[in-house]
Amino acid sequence: MKRSHHCGELSLNHVGQTVILSGWVASRRDHGGVRFIDLRDRYGITQIVFDSEHEPAVHQLADRLRNEYVVAITGKVTLRPEGSANPHIPTGAIEIRSTSLVILNEAKPLPFALDDTITTTEALRLKHRYLDLRRPKMQELLQLRSQVSHLVRQYLHNNQFLEVETPILTKSTPEGARDYLVPSRVNPGEFFALPQSPQLFKQILMIGGTDRYYQIARCFRDEDLRLDRQPEFTQIDLEMSFVDQDDIMQLIEHMVRLIFKETKNIDLPSPLPRLSFEDAMGRYGTDKPDLRFDLQLQDLSQFAATCDFKVFRSAVEKGGIVKALIIPGGNAFTRNRIDNLIDTAKEFGAKGLAWVKINEEGNLDSSIAKFFHPQTLRDALPSAKPGDLLIFVADQSPIVHQVLGRLRLLLGEELGLIDRNRWEPLWVIDFPMFEFDDTAKRYIALHHPFTAPHSEDIPLLETDPLQIRTQAYDLVLNGFELGGGSIRIHAPQVQSKVFDLLNISKTEAREKFGFLLDALESGAPPHGGIALGLDRLVMLLGKTESIRDVIPFPKTQRAQCLMTEAPSPVTSEQLQELSIRTTVKKPTNPL
RNA sequence: GGGGCCGUCGUUCAGCUAGGUUUAGGACGCCAGAUUGUCAAUCUGGAGGUCGCGGGUUCAAAUCCCGUCGGCCCCGCCA
């Protein structure tokens, strides 16, 4: 019995036809003389009727059906009786009057109900992922993900990109994230690493004349997990030769716009807004601002430098800054709520949080109000209104930005300022090339060490490296970093200068990236690229709150797969063959 | 490495902050019966947990204490 149709496609147009459907019993309703089941497959749900009057034998057999039994059904498509149509499902106008039923497989009672209003713990869903995946919502997300991948392939193929696979077993580069290591049996004591990204290979491909490369690439990072971070994740990875920053950004904008239009009929702005790293940090306190609400950081450093409040003045004298958030309606905040804000600010790294209420009469209401001339403060914060609460952080700028940036997000959430139906993509550009790590007393690369500086900034390599801005760009959507890329360094002298500044010695550089350095000296074209997080993109498009919902078989926060119970101990024979001994005290050896 | 929340029948939740009134309760699911128009079907009946695990306090622990395991969220980390 092969199915003639899917469970989501039958309608009034099919009335009278005899069809065969297969699928799972999603629910059953037994009225004695007549029994109903909802038959579900990937495409939808169709109601099946078993009638004792016309088909007593089939009706009798249907008594055995239980949830998630797998069945094949033959029957005639009929119009539902007057008043019993179900407007909630696409096939709700019709039903199948079954003339034959084959039970293909039975199913044990379920560990959890497969509703879309699922209330069970995620752990249970992950353990029984094969059941969880049957839920229409999960099917929809899988489908969405597939559709996005397909659109990406189609679009890039149409733009002369070659899809190239790069190695999964590759070389460990201890810079950056921790590597997943894979021992090599035939090279005792030596290890492959799983790629954190195909970065070096795609640059090599450009030097190899590939011109345009892409890959939907699995990447691996052995770091701690988060809501939007998994140890293995997928990137839309691409690289192009003989292009500049704008070429790549435009290509990606077109692609992302296409994806949003085709999958969700959403029109993203064209062109996407751009914000410099400096402005993003200054106004939003982060390099991935959520532009769905305003609540910008207000710079009060000038005001602070001349005010009577010592905390503010001395922060500025020590080279720091003072910034504020204007919380609309915050005058109504209770003392308790403000205290909570202060505690939160301290958790985020602030030494304290100053606050001033502007009461309805426009007067300042605060223990520190006496230090300020009300009018001077109002002049410094022209958009503050009676009824608002002002909160201030005074410190070195990274701390001020971090604290206020995170308070901004928190307050945006709490005050309901975020419109869930808005899509606010933007590019963040002109990242600094280096940061100075105070504890390690050395420069570290903000992006990665192959990122090219703006050509006019190259002389600064010799004089003032912290002022160098790069040809790097991050695509940000609703506060999530969707991806980032850059024009790469193709001049070997520039590359080695960068390694010098990063305190990577000639021998070290040779050991780690010798092949790339050789390649750069062998006719490297100017090139650049980008990588977009496919998982995050689908997560946002699918309006689901966790990256785990768009990864069919994700890991828990402890980096474990609850279904397969990976990772797991291996036999001592396996370890011996690999010349490996663990230092774990009580290895729970399986054999 | 650190902080927070959580763990009670298959599921979800109540009971815990006055330890005994709990043979641990409700709902969903499950099992049986009834039921010819439901789609969260309905009605009647039934089975099912010793409260994540270990230890302690106590005459008495789901309830208090300590430890431990697991899940989630966050900080660090993620060039």
Coordinates of all heavy atoms in Angstrom, one line a residue, chain A residues 84-120:
Chain A
S84 N -19.4 20.7 10.8 CA -18.3 20.0 11.5 C -16.9 20.2 10.8 O -16.0 19.5 11.0 CB -18.6 18.5 11.6 OG -18.8 17.9 10.3
A85 N -16.9 21.2 9.9 CA -15.5 21.5 9.3 C -14.7 22.1 10.4 O -15.1 22.7 11.4 CB -15.7 22.5 8.2
N86 N -13.4 21.9 10.2 CA -12.4 22.5 11.2 C -11.6 23.5 10.5 O -10.7 23.3 9.7 CB -11.5 21.3 11.7 CG -10.5 21.8 12.7 OD1 -10.3 23.1 12.9 ND2 -9.8 20.9 13.4
P87 N -11.9 24.8 10.9 CA -11.2 25.9 10.2 C -9.7 26.1 10.6 O -9.0 26.8 10.0 CB -12.0 27.1 10.6 CG -12.6 26.8 11.9 CD -12.8 25.3 11.8
H88 N -9.3 25.3 11.6 CA -8.0 25.5 12.1 C -6.9 24.8 11.4 O -5.7 25.0 11.5 CB -7.9 25.1 13.6 CG -8.9 25.8 14.5 ND1 -8.8 27.2 14.7 CD2 -10.0 25.4 15.1 CE1 -9.8 27.6 15.5 NE2 -10.5 26.5 15.7
I89 N -7.3 23.8 10.5 CA -6.3 23.1 9.7 C -6.6 23.2 8.3 O -7.8 23.3 7.9 CB -6.1 21.6 10.2 CG1 -7.5 20.9 10.0 CG2 -5.6 21.5 11.6 CD1 -7.3 19.4 10.2
P90 N -5.6 23.2 7.4 CA -5.8 23.4 6.0 C -6.7 22.4 5.3 O -7.4 22.6 4.4 CB -4.4 23.4 5.4 CG -3.5 23.7 6.5 CD -4.2 23.2 7.7
T91 N -6.7 21.2 5.9 CA -7.5 20.1 5.3 C -8.9 20.0 6.0 O -9.6 19.0 5.9 CB -6.8 18.7 5.4 OG1 -6.6 18.5 6.8 CG2 -5.4 18.8 4.7
G92 N -9.2 21.0 6.8 CA -10.4 20.9 7.7 C -11.7 20.8 7.0 O -12.7 20.5 7.7
A93 N -11.8 21.0 5.7 CA -13.1 21.0 5.0 C -13.5 19.5 4.7 O -14.6 19.2 4.5 CB -13.1 21.8 3.7
I94 N -12.4 18.6 4.6 CA -12.7 17.3 4.2 C -12.2 16.3 5.3 O -11.7 16.6 6.3 CB -12.0 17.0 2.9 CG1 -10.4 17.2 3.0 CG2 -12.5 17.8 1.7 CD1 -9.6 16.0 3.3
E95 N -12.6 15.0 5.0 CA -12.1 13.9 5.8 C -12.0 12.7 4.9 O -12.6 12.7 3.8 CB -13.1 13.7 7.0 CG -14.5 13.3 6.6 CD -15.5 13.4 7.7 OE1 -15.1 13.8 8.8 OE2 -16.6 13.0 7.5
I96 N -11.4 11.6 5.4 CA -11.3 10.4 4.7 C -12.1 9.4 5.3 O -11.9 9.1 6.5 CB -9.8 9.9 4.6 CG1 -8.8 11.0 4.2 CG2 -9.7 8.7 3.7 CD1 -9.0 11.6 2.9
R97 N -13.0 8.8 4.6 CA -13.8 7.7 5.1 C -13.1 6.4 4.8 O -13.1 6.0 3.6 CB -15.3 7.7 4.6 CG -16.0 9.1 4.8 CD -17.4 9.0 4.5 NE -18.2 8.3 5.6 CZ -18.7 9.0 6.7 NH1 -18.5 10.3 6.8 NH2 -19.4 8.3 7.6
S98 N -12.6 5.8 5.8 CA -11.6 4.7 5.6 C -12.3 3.4 5.2 O -13.2 3.0 5.8 CB -10.8 4.5 6.9 OG -9.9 3.4 6.7
T99 N -11.7 2.8 4.1 CA -12.2 1.5 3.7 C -11.2 0.4 4.0 O -11.5 -0.8 3.8 CB -12.5 1.5 2.2 OG1 -11.4 2.0 1.5 CG2 -13.7 2.4 1.9
S100 N -10.0 0.8 4.4 CA -9.0 -0.2 4.8 C -8.0 0.5 5.6 O -7.6 1.6 5.5 CB -8.4 -0.8 3.5 OG -7.0 -0.7 3.5
L101 N -7.5 -0.3 6.6 CA -6.5 0.2 7.5 C -5.4 -0.9 7.7 O -5.7 -2.0 8.0 CB -7.2 0.5 8.9 CG -6.3 0.6 10.1 CD1 -5.5 1.8 10.0 CD2 -7.2 0.6 11.4
V102 N -4.1 -0.4 7.6 CA -3.0 -1.3 7.8 C -2.2 -0.7 8.9 O -1.8 0.5 8.8 CB -2.1 -1.5 6.6 CG1 -1.0 -2.4 6.9 CG2 -3.0 -2.2 5.5
I103 N -2.0 -1.4 10.0 CA -1.1 -0.9 11.1 C 0.3 -1.3 10.8 O 0.6 -2.5 10.8 CB -1.6 -1.5 12.5 CG1 -3.0 -1.0 12.8 CG2 -0.6 -1.1 13.5 CD1 -3.6 -1.5 14.1
L104 N 1.1 -0.4 10.4 CA 2.5 -0.6 9.9 C 3.4 -0.8 11.1 O 4.4 -1.5 11.0 CB 3.0 0.5 9.1 CG 2.2 0.7 7.8 CD1 2.6 2.0 7.1 CD2 2.4 -0.5 6.8
N105 N 3.1 -0.1 12.2 CA 3.9 -0.3 13.4 C 3.2 0.3 14.6 O 2.4 1.2 14.5 CB 5.3 0.5 13.2 CG 6.4 -0.3 13.9 OD1 6.2 -1.1 14.8 ND2 7.6 0.0 13.4
E106 N 3.5 -0.3 15.8 CA 2.9 0.2 17.0 C 3.9 1.1 17.7 O 5.0 1.2 17.3 CB 2.5 -1.0 17.9 CG 1.6 -2.0 17.2 CD 1.1 -3.1 18.1 OE1 1.7 -3.3 19.2 OE2 0.1 -3.7 17.7
A107 N 3.4 1.8 18.8 CA 4.3 2.7 19.5 C 3.9 2.6 21.0 O 2.7 2.5 21.3 CB 4.2 4.1 19.0
K108 N 4.9 2.6 21.8 CA 4.7 2.6 23.3 C 4.1 3.9 23.6 O 4.2 4.9 22.9 CB 6.0 2.5 24.0 CG 6.6 1.1 23.9 CD 7.8 0.9 24.8 CE 9.0 1.8 24.4 NZ 10.2 1.5 25.1
P109 N 3.4 4.0 24.8 CA 2.9 5.3 25.3 C 4.1 6.3 25.4 O 5.2 6.0 25.6 CB 2.4 5.0 26.7 CG 2.0 3.5 26.7 CD 3.0 2.9 25.7
L110 N 3.8 7.6 25.1 CA 4.8 8.6 24.9 C 5.3 9.1 26.2 O 4.6 9.2 27.2 CB 4.2 9.8 24.1 CG 3.7 9.4 22.7 CD1 3.0 10.6 22.2 CD2 4.8 9.0 21.8
P111 N 6.6 9.4 26.3 CA 7.1 10.1 27.5 C 6.7 11.5 27.6 O 6.8 12.1 28.7 CB 8.7 10.0 27.3 CG 8.9 9.8 25.8 CD 7.6 9.1 25.3
F112 N 6.2 12.1 26.5 CA 5.7 13.5 26.6 C 4.7 13.7 25.5 O 4.8 13.0 24.4 CB 6.8 14.5 26.7 CG 7.7 14.5 25.5 CD1 7.4 15.2 24.4 CD2 8.9 13.7 25.6 CE1 8.3 15.2 23.3 CE2 9.8 13.7 24.5 CZ 9.5 14.4 23.4
A113 N 3.8 14.6 25.6 CA 2.8 14.9 24.6 C 3.5 15.7 23.5 O 4.2 16.6 23.7 CB 1.6 15.6 25.1
L114 N 3.1 15.3 22.2 CA 3.8 16.0 21.1 C 3.0 17.2 20.6 O 2.9 17.4 19.4 CB 3.9 15.0 19.9 CG 4.7 13.7 20.2 CD1 4.9 12.9 18.9 CD2 6.0 13.9 20.9
D115 N 2.5 18.0 21.6 CA 1.8 19.2 21.2 C 2.9 20.3 20.8 O 4.0 20.2 21.2 CB 1.1 19.8 22.4 CG 0.1 18.9 23.0 OD1 -0.4 18.0 22.2 OD2 -0.3 19.0 24.1
D116 N 2.4 21.3 20.1 CA 3.3 22.4 19.9 C 3.3 23.3 21.1 O 4.2 24.2 21.2 CB 2.8 23.2 18.6 CG 3.6 22.7 17.4 OD1 4.6 22.0 17.7 OD2 3.3 23.0 16.3
T117 N 2.3 23.2 22.0 CA 2.4 23.9 23.2 C 3.1 23.1 24.3 O 2.7 23.0 25.4 CB 0.9 24.2 23.7 OG1 0.3 22.9 23.8 CG2 0.2 25.0 22.8
I118 N 4.2 22.5 23.8 CA 5.0 21.6 24.7 C 5.4 22.3 25.9 O 5.9 23.4 26.0 CB 6.1 21.0 23.9 CG1 6.7 19.7 24.6 CG2 7.2 22.0 23.7 CD1 7.2 18.7 23.6
T119 N 5.3 21.5 27.0 CA 5.6 22.1 28.3 C 6.7 21.3 29.0 O 7.1 21.6 30.1 CB 4.4 22.2 29.3 OG1 3.8 20.9 29.3 CG2 3.4 23.2 28.8
T120 N 7.2 20.2 28.4 CA 8.1 19.4 29.1 C 9.5 20.0 29.1 O 9.8 21.0 28.4 CB 8.1 18.0 28.5 OG1 8.8 17.1 29.3 CG2 8.8 18.0 27.1

